[in-house]
Amino acid sequence: MSARHPCTGGGGIAARPVTLELNGQHRSLDVEPWTTLLDLLRERLGLTGTKKGCDHGQCGACTVLVDGKRINACLALAVMCDGKRVTTIEGLARGDQLHPMQAAFVSHDAFQCGYCTPGQICSAVGLVAEGRAQGRDDIREQMSGNICRCGAYPNILAAIEEAAPQTRAWLEEGER
Ligand code: FES
Ligand code: FES
């Protein structure tokens, strides 16, 4: 499989085979080398829970987990994720059971329009996995890359603070 890129002067560039464990499922795909992880998820795989805000690493709306660590999917090429475990907002719940961070965002009303919410939740889960979230100041600092234009920060902070212990237990049961 090959495709043309506007920067190559018309030369064909072969798509590369990429294997992912995506939300617990094995996926093998051929991906053009310039495709971002964000575009792969949204445009090709239909996982539109991950949002595109700025598309250049400024807002955090596109945050997903790669091997348990949070990244901005708009800044990562899909081919860089070959062989890795990718978790999006769609992969956090276990069946009908919401992830504790999702449940806390609901119970604390930690959103208004909701556009930033998937990125906020994935970032918060990654934050706990990093062994952070040790108090409000730490959470505020470590979540500073996730912008909420609606200003739902107080409730986001409260949700993360409450869900951090359950998230630690959830991750210990089986990291997703
Ligand atoms: S869309 Fe990736 S950081 Fe804004
Ligand atoms: S809830 Fe609207 S941008 Fe955060």
Side-chain angles (χ1 to χ4, degrees):
M1 185 175 171
S2 68
R4 290 178 183 277
H5 185 267
C7 300
T8 65
I13 296 179
R16 309 274 171 86
V18 171
T19 300
L20 304 173
E21 185 192 320
L22 178 59
N23 294 336
Q25 295 196 326
H26 180 86
R27 302 295 299 258
S28 292
L29 306 144
D30 288 323
V31 181
E32 288 84 6
W34 57 83
T35 302
T36 64
L37 178 60
L38 179 59
D39 284 343
L40 177 70
L41 292 171
R42 288 184 55 84
E43 310 298 333
R44 184 143 165 215
L45 300 177
L47 292 173
T48 54
T50 306
K51 301 304 183 205
K52 183 180 281 191
C54 63
D55 207 20
H56 60 273
Q58 299 291 308
C59 73
C62 63
T63 305
V64 298
L65 300 167
V66 175
D67 286 345
K69 296 190 170 52
R70 50 198 176 141
I71 67 161
N72 288 332
C74 69
L75 295 182
L77 293 173
V79 293
M80 294 163 55
C81 299
D82 185 32
K84 297 187 187 294
R85 181 165 46 92
V86 178
T87 306
T88 69
I89 191 70
E90 291 92 343
L92 286 181
R94 293 177 183 162
D96 291 338
Q97 186 185 8
L98 287 180
H99 189 287
M101 195 63 75
Q102 292 175 303
F105 269 64
V106 172
S107 65
H108 283 273
D109 225 1
F111 44 80
Q112 290 180 36
C113 77
Y115 197 82
C116 72
T117 309
Q120 300 276 4
I121 291 174
C122 285
S123 191
V125 172
L127 169 66
V128 175
E130 289 162 17
R132 308 300 297 252
Q134 308 292 339
R136 290 202 151 208
D137 288 346
D138 190 39
I139 295 170
R140 198 179 282 115
E141 171 65 23
Q142 296 298 320
M143 290 295 294
S144 61
N146 288 82
I147 307 302
C148 175
R149 293 195 61 154
C150 298
Y153 296 113
N155 292 8
I156 291 170
L157 190 59
I160 297 171
E161 197 172 26
E162 181 189 271
Q166 299 115 289
T167 297
R168 282 187 201 102
W170 177 282
L171 291 170
E172 280 167 15
E173 279 171 28
E175 197 172 326
R176 314 252 317 175

